[in-house]
Each structure stands twice: as structure tokens, then as C-alpha cells.
Amino acid sequence: LEYLRRVKLESEADAYPHELSGGMQQRIGIARALAAEPDILLLDEPFSSLDLVSKCSVIDELRMIALEMGKTVILVTHNLEEAVFLGDRTIVLSAKPARILADVPIPLPRPRNTLSPEFMRLRAQFASLLTSAVPERAGR
């Protein structure tokens, strides 16, 4: 119940998975992971299936939980905005076979303004890194 409270779902403790929205299911997944009391929380595309409102809510809750509990969170994402908005450090990987293209600190203050020139510059830097790593197709 403590971890359901942390993700603001204690009222859904007796609900079945099919009774929960996608956002609620994602938050339940985070609560389950936290219940194991890990030092590091690994999240693989945790927001990909969420609508914008649910995504914003889950991101805010995850940020607060990580800060309150002092957890290290490793987030795997293909979304450049998520990487810049949430990260303190971003490691950009190439396509298979994966290799590190860049290891970039994110020095932006919080809360982050997604329209700031600094935010846009970092996003563009990551886009450029990824674009330059895509091999040219034969016949182009």
C-alpha cells in the first residue's frame, strides 16, 4: 500500500488490471518495481503507450518519487524530449550493434522549460548525433 500511495493509486488496490487505464497500469508497474526496493530503477520506454495527459502525470510522479527516495533511474527512450527533460546525463547509442555515440551531461535547471534555447539546443544535438549515425541506404 505504501508504494501504491507513492504513485497515487491506493484507492485502486483491489482493482484488476483490465479495470485500470494505461496511465494507471504504468504507475502500478513503477510501484511494483519500487516495492523490491532497488538502488537502481531501470525503465524501458515507460511512457510510450500513454496519451499526453497521462504521460505528463506519470513523468511528474516518477521525478518526485526518484527525488524523495533517492533512487537512480535509468530511462531507455527513443523520445528526445523525454531524454532532455528527465535526464541529468544522456548516453546516445547507435543502431545495432549498439555503441556509445555520446555521453552528454544535461546541465539545465529544474523545472525545465521545453521551449528554452538551451533545451532546444540539446534536443538538436541529440537529433544530429542520431541522424549522423544512420547509414546511407544503397541506391539513394
Side-chain angles (χ1 to χ4, degrees), residues 22-34:
M24 289 176 167
Q25 290 178 18
Q26 290 295 79
R27 293 191 330 230
I28 291 290
I30 292 168
R32 287 177 52 212
L34 290 171

Side-chain angles (χ1 to χ4, degrees), residues 16-124:
Y16 289 97
H18 71 273
E19 298 173 327
L20 303 173
S21 70
M24 289 176 167
Q25 290 178 18
Q26 290 295 79
R27 293 191 330 230
I28 291 290
I30 292 168
R32 287 177 52 212
L34 290 171
E37 299 187 1
D39 293 327
I40 299 172
L41 191 60
L42 176 61
L43 303 174
D44 187 3
E45 299 281 355
F47 317 118
S48 62
S49 64
L50 301 178
D51 63 77
L52 184 60
V53 173
S54 296
K55 180 178 180 175
C56 291
S57 174
V58 172
I59 285 172
D60 284 344
E61 288 173 20
L62 179 60
R63 238 179 358 97
M64 294 307 298
I65 289 168
L67 286 172
E68 287 174 11
M69 297 181 75
K71 299 293 180 189
T72 295
V73 178
I74 297 174
L75 173 68
V76 176
T77 183
H78 290 90
N79 185 301
L80 301 177
E81 287 80 16
E82 285 176 10
V84 177
F85 187 75
L86 293 170
D88 294 319
R89 172 182 173 199
T90 299
I91 297 173
V92 181
L93 300 176
S94 69
K96 292 179 184 177
R99 65 186 202 296
I100 296 175
L101 296 175
D103 184 345
V104 182
I106 309 289
L108 303 177
R110 295 186 192 275
R112 296 203 170 142
N113 177 353
T114 58
L115 300 176
S116 74
E118 298 85 8
F119 188 98
M120 299 298 238
R121 182 190 57 75
L122 281 166
R123 189 208 177 280

